[in-house]
Amino acid sequence: MGTLAQDLQYAFRKLFRTPGFTLVALFTLMLGIGANTAVFTVVNSVLIKPLPFEEPDRLVKVFVDNPEAELSDAPASPLDLEDWQRRNQVFAAMAAYSTTPSGLTLTGDGEPERLPTAYVSGDFFRTLKGPVLLGRALSPADDRPGEGGAVVLSWGLWQRRFGSDPKIVGRVLRLDEAPFTVVGVMDRDFAFPNADVELWAPLSVIGEKRIPRLRQVRWVETIARLKPGVSVNQAEANLQTLARALEQEYPDSNKGWTGGHLYDLHTWLVGDVRKSLFVLLGVVGLVLLIACVNIANLLLARATTRGREMAIRTALGAERKRILQQLLSESLLLSLVGGALGLLISSWAVQVLLSLSGGAIPRIHEIGIDGRVMAFTLLISILTGTAFGIVPALQTAKPEIRGSLGESSTGAGTGKASHRLQSLLVVAEMALAVLLVIGAGLAVKSLWRLFAVDPGFDSRNALVTTFNIPSSRYPERPQYQAFYAQVLERAAHLPGVTAAGAIQSLPLIDQGGEKDILTIQGRPAPPPGQEPIAIFNTIGGDYFGAMGIRLLRGRKFTGADGPESPPVAIINQTLARQHWPEQNPVGQMLLSGETQIQIVGVVGDVRNAGLAKPSEPEVYLPHSQRPRRGVALVVRTVSDPALLAGAVRGAIREMDPSQPITEIATLEQILSESVTPQRFLALLLSIFSAMALILAGLGIYGVLSFVASQRTREVGIRIAMGADRRDILRLIIGQGVGVALLGVVLGLAASLALTRVLASLLYEVSPTDAATFSAVAAVLVMVALLASYIPARRAAGTNPMITLRQE
């Protein structure tokens, strides 16, 4: 330890005497280690840290399947769930929840607000066993109809709306004009089923009027806790046995629903983001590796000035391992200081990552630096210091004693082996840079292709306002229909509005409307489980005009399509193409139960579930004939729609001051937010690949500058013998470009194999896209040319007389 302390003290003095090298190396390490620490912080909190529940590895998400209808990952019927709870032999507890309807409206306590709500069964909190901060969680007794209202608040709502009132338990709130008693506040880390939920209410609050309790109505999400010693495979087998038994008992509602499967709850919560985060972790790892190569080259160049020092140490009896220890101590000291600086900036970098993610990262409230992150930073700092220090240390620790001591200066020159080693490091650096830039290029091209997709509507100059008409104030159908019509009327007459309409489920936000079986009059009934499915959406006003959706055939809805007139519908192009490919569907009849619905028009397709997903068959019905309480009001304006947000909000509040508004945003903002995960990945890959490109260029520049300075005598002799400026430029640039080309070729070969991991993250772009590979190769060669030209130009300006006179 005494020797190590001595080496560290000497290393500190040595680094302090070379401030230029030290600052460059520390800055490079700070960026590299800081980026790795920031990404690992996210990976640790999202993927590695267990869920904040007791024994989280026993929690599973339960889905049911209907293979005949090609349905998987489907929700369950509450009645089926009750049978599972009574008959299963593998689950210690099972519970249901739903986040629809959209939430409960808080009134009488400041500004009215629609609170995102999870409606949960009585066993929900007993199944999860999450931490409660104040009071208690909901119990089965709270989920019985007629038992009165009990709710649990999230930590965020308690902080934001109630100022962390310690006496909140027992307080009565007005939610949807009904009294609910706060029985508890959940811990800060509890955020299930998602971080948006601010309130948990009993499932019975929804009631029979809103969703009938029928076996064929499958709408609740299911979670379960495995019994000790029960595996997921055993639980799936038991669930499938129960499903087959229910199919026999209830053939009308359960036919075809013969299977079920389970997901580990953690895996289900993380979803598709797992692959993106691992890709980012690999990318920042490669950036750090490139940084290590750069610092290793700097150390190799710096070693030439220490040849005489190492020769003297060796001549005085220092063993090679003793010199290696000293040199590695310098590298480790440099890396540990860089790691400490990286840890300091990582908190800021994490916030940048989260802001760029746009909410696409799950468990975002749990992300933070902890002991595991600090241990990771220490480990990566030690590995980094060893990685960039070992090769220069081995090279420096074997000096030529006679040659070095015979030098008249403190430098010792470098041999061909050192030059070859530096060149190999540059080759590796260029290959890694090619790999990163190609990955970024593929992600950017994928994002560009995604933005080029026609969403089926015109997002320009359109404002969207979403809200829900509460049943507490408008309990009867004529009441909320009248309120709906008045909102549309007022919005249509606002200054600057050219069209106003509304829809039950807005594209990109609500993932389409209600899916149901499509029945066409006059067509033979398909086999059970193979019925066609379509999205059914309710619209009002001039919705198609407000959205800019094209009418292809027939007509739009008019005021004549009222509750007493014959039912009508408008279908989209996909549905028309599937069922009437060779004829005009206008005039054809659909069936809803015993009701006949005439098709009066065909409109263009809309990407409801996202730009990357194809349009599905869709049926639009007039609000006057099929009213719904959910409203997404769309107004088209002649100027910036954001300027009209206050006027739209004011028009609604004038009609009903207690009406909460869920969201106001432009349609362009909604469209942009729909591609947040793809934009997040493309942006981060671009940032890190730009860092890699700059580091690779600096690596070539540094090596060639050093080589050119070592070849000053040779260049002077060449010029004295008649070589012109172009010959010298060709000599130095050729050396740099040759090394770069070898790195580019190796990088392209590696990319052909490794970019396939991005395949599932790309949209309409091959992971081996020839155009991207060619463009990246050209860019890297141009960077190599630029990095080579500067030292070559300096070498070409050598004065041969001065050089030879110095020799």
Side-chain angles (χ1 to χ4, degrees):
M1 293 300 296
T3 303
L4 179 60
Q6 182 183 16
D7 286 344
L8 291 175
Q9 185 180 15
Y10 178 80
F12 179 80
R13 291 202 307 268
K14 196 70 178 177
L15 293 173
F16 187 77
R17 290 172 185 169
T18 53
F21 163 79
T22 303
L23 289 176
V24 169
L26 285 178
F27 182 74
T28 303
L29 289 168
M30 178 182 69
L31 290 181
I33 296 177
N36 275 268
T37 300
V39 174
F40 180 78
T41 299
V42 177
V43 171
N44 173 56
S45 299
V46 175
L47 303 181
I48 300 176
K49 187 188 295 183
L51 296 176
F53 311 127
E54 291 183 24
E55 300 178 294
D57 56 312
R58 289 169 50 197
L59 291 171
V60 293
K61 186 76 168 60
V62 182
F63 291 102
V64 292
D65 301 327
N66 190 327
E68 293 181 1
E70 298 182 355
L71 294 175
S72 61
D73 290 359
S77 163
L79 296 179
D80 285 347
L81 175 59
E82 289 175 7
D83 283 323
W84 296 343
Q85 289 174 318
R86 287 193 301 267
R87 303 184 190 182
N88 89 86
Q89 301 171 353
V90 292
F91 299 120
M94 298 187 76
Y97 70 90
S98 177
T99 53
T100 55
S102 59
L104 297 173
T105 301
L106 175 65
T107 55
D109 196 348
E111 184 78 8
E113 182 180 1
R114 191 76 172 174
L115 300 176
T117 304
Y119 304 91
V120 302
S121 65
D123 286 326
F124 178 81
F125 290 100
R126 186 172 71 88
T127 301
L128 289 176
K129 296 185 179 180
V132 180
L133 182 65
L134 296 176
R136 65 173 177 86
L138 296 176
S139 67
D142 298 315
D143 193 29
R144 295 171 185 167
E147 292 292 331
V151 292
V152 172
L153 309 183
S154 72
W155 182 89
L157 178 62
W158 177 58
Q159 289 270 316
R160 176 179 62 81
R161 188 78 191 224
F162 302 103
S164 304
D165 181 6
K167 299 180 180 179
I168 189 67
V169 175
R171 184 169 171 178
V172 178
L173 307 179
R174 299 291 296 180
L175 299 170
D176 277 5
E177 301 300 327
F180 284 82
T181 303
V182 177
V183 298
V185 177
M186 298 307 294
D187 189 81
R188 182 175 188 172
D189 289 340
F190 188 92
F192 189 87
N194 57 64
D196 295 331
V197 171
E198 294 190 305
L199 196 71
W200 289 270
L203 201 63
S204 58
V205 168
I206 297 176
E208 280 280 338
K209 282 188 176 181
R210 304 175 84 172
I211 303 179
R213 281 175 57 84
L214 300 173
R215 287 192 182 270
Q216 59 266 35
V217 181
R218 294 175 170 83
W219 60 281
V220 294
E221 305 291 332
T222 307
I223 55 173
R225 178 176 289 274
L226 297 173
K227 288 182 178 180
V230 175
S231 69
V232 170
N233 290 336
Q234 290 173 321
E236 282 188 343
N238 183 249
L239 187 63
Q240 289 166 2
T241 300
L242 290 176
R244 286 192 291 270
L246 292 176
E247 183 184 22
Q248 297 296 321
E249 295 175 30
Y250 307 101
D252 292 340
S253 60
N254 287 49
K255 183 174 176 56
W257 296 93
T258 57
H261 63 274
L262 312 178
Y263 287 109
D264 170 74
L265 191 62
H266 190 181
T267 302
W268 176 78
L269 279 174
V270 170
D272 295 337
V273 78
R274 176 187 298 272
K275 191 166 190 177
S276 297
L277 289 180
F278 277 130
V279 166
L280 288 178
L281 191 60
V283 165
V284 292
L286 291 178
V287 170
L288 183 58
L289 193 55
I290 293 175
C292 289
V293 172
N294 256 7
I295 298 175
N297 264 329
L298 288 174
L299 288 174
L300 281 172
R302 185 168 173 259
T304 62
T305 64
R306 304 184 67 179
R308 189 177 181 84
E309 173 195 345
M310 297 305 158
I312 293 174
R313 289 178 179 274
T314 303
L316 292 174
E319 296 180 357
R320 190 182 184 206
K321 64 179 182 180
R322 183 67 185 84
I323 297 176
L324 279 172
Q325 179 181 324
Q326 179 196 319
L327 294 173
L328 285 176
S329 298
E330 295 178 18
S331 300
L332 287 173
L333 177 62
L334 192 64
S335 182
L336 289 172
V337 175
L341 295 174
L343 185 61
L344 288 177
I345 70 165
S346 63
S347 297
W348 169 81
V350 167
Q351 296 306 314
V352 172
L353 281 175
L354 298 183
S355 64
L356 293 176
S357 73
I361 299 177
R363 305 183 67 186
I364 194 169
H365 62 288
E366 299 179 46
I367 296 175
I369 295 174
D370 57 13
R372 188 184 287 112
V373 173
M374 292 182 180
F376 170 83
T377 305
L378 176 62
L379 177 62
I380 202 173
S381 298
I382 294 173
L383 293 176
T384 298
T386 305
F388 71 71
I390 189 66
V391 174
L394 290 172
Q395 187 74 16
T396 308
K398 53 176 182 179
E400 297 179 6
I401 299 177
R402 182 176 299 178
S404 298
L405 293 179
E407 290 285 343
S408 59
S409 66
T410 58
T414 60
K416 293 182 179 180
S418 180
H419 289 165
R420 282 197 300 269
L421 185 56
Q422 288 181 299
S423 297
L424 286 175
L425 290 175
V426 171
V427 168
E429 193 171 23
M430 288 296 292
L432 294 173
V434 168
L435 181 61
L436 289 180
V437 177
I438 283 179
L442 292 173
V444 170
K445 188 171 183 177
S446 173
L447 183 64
W448 177 74
R449 288 276 178 89
L450 203 56
F451 274 123
V453 171
D454 180 10
F457 54 82
D458 184 1
S459 63
R460 298 168 297 178
N461 292 352
L463 183 74
V464 177
T465 307
T466 59
F467 58 93
N468 197 75
I469 302 175
S471 59
S472 55
R473 291 195 305 280
Y474 305 94
E476 302 300 327
R477 177 170 174 170
Q479 294 175 312
Y480 67 79
Q481 276 189 297
F483 180 75
Y484 182 95
Q486 290 172 20
V487 167
L488 284 175
E489 179 70 17
R490 290 204 177 199
H493 288 87
L494 288 173
V497 173
T498 60
I503 189 169
Q504 169 193 351
S505 300
L506 190 75
L508 305 181
I509 288 183
D510 300 312
Q511 307 294 305
E514 302 169 0
K515 289 188 178 182
D516 202 352
I517 294 174
L518 179 71
T519 305
I520 302 173
Q521 188 177 32
R523 299 279 178 91
Q530 298 182 22
E531 298 92 347
I533 303 294
I535 295 173
F536 288 79
N537 237 324
T538 297
I539 65 172
D542 186 12
Y543 172 73
F544 297 126
M547 288 288 289
I549 299 174
R550 296 172 298 152
L551 179 68
L552 304 178
R553 290 182 177 181
R555 66 173 177 86
K556 299 180 182 180
F557 298 136
T558 67
D561 299 315
E564 304 302 327
S565 60
V568 292
I570 295 174
I571 65 173
N572 71 343
Q573 193 173 13
T574 293
L575 194 152
R577 190 182 300 116
Q578 285 183 1
H579 298 282
W580 295 277
E582 304 295 336
Q583 62 185 111
N584 186 353
V586 174
Q588 299 292 328
M589 305 298 290
L590 304 176
L591 292 178
S592 176
E594 299 298 325
T595 304
Q596 295 182 340
I597 304 175
Q598 185 181 38
I599 299 173
V600 298
V602 179
V603 295
D605 291 333
V606 173
R607 302 273 180 137
N608 282 302
L611 295 180
K613 297 181 179 179
S615 300
E616 299 178 81
E618 186 164 13
V619 178
Y620 298 95
L621 303 171
H623 187 272
S624 57
Q625 296 181 350
R626 187 177 181 263
R628 292 293 184 268
R629 294 183 180 273
V631 181
L633 174 67
V634 185
V635 295
R636 183 159 294 278
T637 65
V638 295
S639 59
D640 184 2
L643 300 177
L644 209 64
V648 173
R649 187 190 298 270
I652 297 173
R653 291 287 167 81
E654 284 177 9
M655 296 173 53
D656 186 348
S658 61
Q659 172 64 53
I661 293 173
T662 306
E663 182 182 13
I664 293 185
T666 66
L667 199 52
E668 287 185 328
Q669 289 173 330
I670 293 171
L671 182 62
S672 176
E673 289 173 2
S674 71
V675 295
T676 293
Q678 295 89 340
R679 183 171 55 242
F680 174 64
L681 181 64
L683 181 59
L684 288 186
L685 285 178
S686 298
I687 292 173
F688 293 134
S689 66
M691 291 173 59
L693 198 61
I694 293 171
L695 288 173
L698 290 175
I700 295 175
Y701 170 78
V703 169
L704 288 185
S705 294
F706 173 72
V707 170
S709 67
Q710 295 296 307
R711 299 177 69 177
T712 302
R713 181 172 180 270
E714 174 194 343
V715 171
I717 293 174
R718 285 178 179 272
I719 295 176
M721 295 295 293
D724 60 18
R725 180 183 176 85
R726 285 178 298 179
D727 295 327
I728 302 303
L729 287 173
R730 192 180 301 114
L731 175 69
I732 304 298
I733 292 176
Q735 182 177 356
V737 172
V739 170
L741 282 175
L742 180 57
V744 168
V745 170
L746 293 176
L748 291 174
S751 299
L752 286 171
L754 296 179
T755 53
R756 297 181 189 277
V757 301
L758 295 175
S760 62
L761 303 176
L762 303 176
Y763 176 74
E764 291 189 353
V765 176
S766 167
T768 56
D769 181 63
T772 302
F773 275 56
S774 302
V776 169
V779 168
L780 266 294
V781 171
M782 292 299 296
V783 169
L785 279 171
L786 180 61
S788 304
Y789 175 75
I790 300 174
R793 184 171 176 270
R794 188 183 303 120
T798 301
N799 188 326
M801 296 303 296
I802 295 176
T803 302
L804 295 178
R805 189 178 297 119
Q806 287 176 346
E807 290 294 328

